[in-house]
Amino acid sequence: VDVYVWDTGIRTSHTEFGGRAVPELETFEGEQKKCHGQGCAVDDHGHGTFCAAVVGGHSFGVAPKATLHAVKVHSGEKGTAKAIHLAFDWLLSQDLPVASTIFSMSLSLDGKGDSGMISVFLDTELRGVTVVVAAGNHATSSSTWNFAPMKVAATDSNDKPFSENARDFDMYAPGVNIKSAWVDGDSNSATATLTGTSAAAP
């Protein structure tokens, strides 16, 4: 399984990944940059590394044999609709093995209600790529992610789900006090414990 983690990048050298995490693409600066080796799609924040390890970390992950591809669409602040569109454009132009490809997107996005995202999600779904997004933590009346085919809310220890819109999600997963990999200085073994739909969606 190939999981493309759209986030702040991935600390690919983290011990959780065992060489299965690779830099793939950067769009957070408003242009497409295909990665060629290390030094690209680097996570200076921690959120992307956290989410990647929830997906495929050897001790924290639900799919510990997955190949993890770092798609850096933001650097710690909210992502932009342009960065998301650029990443979709580039990735969908590649010859991806769609039956075993997942786009995992645990991120906030500026430009809520972006109508262009409807066709992007539809096109991706028609191609057979699975797209999973975090349903969000803060109540809003309109969200671009409402158009996503698979929105994940978080649940607490009492199995009570929570999300940006309490009625608008497709599934839920544990999202309270989730421990995973993190970025802390030069450490390749740092961890953090977070709560939210970002911890549930991967």
Side-chain angles (χ1 to χ4, degrees), residues 35-192:
C35 295
H36 299 283
Q38 301 303 314
C40 179
V42 174
D43 186 8
D44 297 316
H45 180 273
H47 193 273
T49 298
F50 182 97
C51 294
V54 174
V55 173
H58 76 83
S59 56
F60 302 122
V62 295
K65 294 184 179 180
T67 299
L68 305 162
H69 302 260
V71 180
K72 187 169 183 175
V73 293
H74 68 103
S75 58
E77 300 298 326
K78 286 185 177 181
T80 64
K82 180 179 180 179
I84 300 299
H85 280 290
L86 285 171
F88 269 117
D89 288 346
W90 190 87
L91 288 168
L92 294 179
S93 72
Q94 307 304 300
D95 186 20
L96 301 177
V98 294
S100 59
T101 296
I102 297 171
F103 291 170
S104 178
M105 308 169 74
S106 290
L107 49 91
S108 297
L109 181 68
D110 280 336
K112 292 184 180 297
D114 175 16
S115 59
M117 205 65 76
I118 301 176
S119 60
V120 170
F121 280 129
L122 179 59
D123 183 37
T124 306
E125 189 174 20
L126 289 173
R127 291 169 185 250
V129 176
T130 300
V131 181
V132 182
V133 305
N137 303 319
H138 306 292
T140 60
S141 59
S142 176
S143 173
T144 298
W145 290 158
N146 288 344
F147 310 132
M150 191 178 299
K151 300 177 291 296
V152 184
T155 185
D156 60 20
S157 59
N158 296 315
D159 253 4
K160 182 179 179 179
F162 61 91
S163 69
E164 188 167 279
N165 184 331
R167 297 179 300 278
D168 188 18
F169 60 87
D170 302 293
M171 63 181 68
Y172 58 85
V176 176
N177 295 329
I178 304 300
K179 185 177 181 180
S180 186
W182 194 250
V183 171
D184 186 5
D186 295 329
S187 173
N188 287 321
S189 58
T191 63

